[in-house]
Amino acid sequence: MIEIPVDLPAELVPLSWLIGVWEGTGVVDYKTGEGDETRRTHEFGQRVSFSHDGLPFLNYSSYSWLLDEEHTPLVSETGYWRLDRPAEEGDRGPAMLPGVGIQPFTTPRAVEILRTPDDGFDIEVALVHPTGVNELYLGRVKGPRIDLATDAVVRSSNAKEYSAATRMYGLVENHLLWAWDVAALGNELRTHASGRLAHVD
């Protein structure tokens, strides 16, 4: 059962089932070229956190490690998840500017007008990787399922080639399941990694 925190901003109710710390394992299975000899496969552990600080977005962080004897660090990422809607005068920003006037969408009734015709909500996810890659995903949350696709990928001059991605998240039997497809290293979009995480906090 999903419990909605009493202090949760109204805009986060559609994403509330994500809140908490999740931990589990997954597998990478990615072909960097066309032949079977280019296939890279390994298992990993992962810890993911979704939290909020009273603002209308979720704070996100993920850390993963190889399932070897040393638990070799693999990758980390951090970012923000929020409903995708036009900014209004009452919203904070840009930078450190406070909003002007009434803050919008502070009640569940107000948020309902953002519901899409197929009974979901459009969302926006910004992720930063320490390897010089920044991703902006657009997608939809509908019940306990989220589908995302990159709208933009920005890479530093030293980052490895990475041009697009899709991600899917779902709550299945109280576990967070996810799948991540990427277009990288000169390849078209293809299967990359997936995981199954349990709620631990």
Side-chain angles (χ1 to χ4, degrees):
M1 177 174 31
I2 299 171
E3 293 185 17
I4 298 175
V6 294
D7 62 341
L8 191 69
E11 287 187 64
L12 294 184
V13 170
L15 297 167
S16 61
W17 55 274
L18 290 169
I19 293 173
V21 177
W22 304 81
E23 192 168 302
T25 61
V27 63
V28 170
D29 188 3
Y30 188 69
K31 289 177 69 174
T32 59
E34 294 309 315
D36 282 340
E37 70 279 0
T38 69
R39 182 182 298 275
R40 297 184 187 176
T41 304
H42 53 264
E43 294 183 343
F44 61 88
Q46 184 183 33
R47 186 174 178 89
V48 170
S49 172
F50 290 93
S51 63
H52 78 94
D53 49 19
L55 297 173
F57 55 81
L58 290 180
N59 303 299
Y60 165 82
S61 66
S62 170
Y63 171 72
S64 59
W65 58 92
L66 292 175
L67 291 179
D68 56 15
E69 289 185 7
E70 296 79 23
H71 285 178
T72 304
L74 183 59
V75 71
S76 63
E77 59 185 13
T78 187
Y80 303 96
W81 297 52
R82 66 179 191 150
L83 293 189
D84 181 17
R85 63 167 179 80
E88 299 196 7
E89 209 173 338
D91 288 313
R92 298 163 186 86
M96 294 186 72
L97 296 175
V100 176
I102 298 172
Q103 188 176 351
F105 303 106
T106 57
T107 67
R109 180 182 292 252
V111 171
E112 276 301 309
I113 70 170
L114 299 173
R115 191 178 289 274
T116 60
D118 70 345
D119 204 32
F121 291 89
D122 292 331
I123 63 172
E124 175 184 300
V125 176
L127 298 182
V128 178
H129 303 258
T131 54
V133 174
N134 297 342
E135 301 173 279
L136 175 64
Y137 287 90
L138 299 179
R140 179 159 299 162
V141 55
K142 184 175 180 183
R145 180 183 169 120
I146 295 171
D147 292 281
L148 301 169
T150 48
D151 183 59
V153 175
V154 177
R155 291 184 291 126
S156 71
S157 61
N158 297 314
K160 291 184 177 180
E161 193 275 328
Y162 179 96
S163 58
T166 62
R167 300 192 190 207
M168 185 280 295
Y169 296 80
L171 187 64
V172 179
E173 296 177 349
N174 293 320
H175 283 78
L176 180 62
L177 275 59
W178 62 264
W180 183 10
D181 295 353
V182 301
L185 305 176
N187 297 305
E188 298 293 320
L189 196 67
R190 60 176 57 168
T191 299
H192 169 60
S194 60
R196 182 183 182 97
L197 311 177
H199 199 270
V200 296
D201 186 19

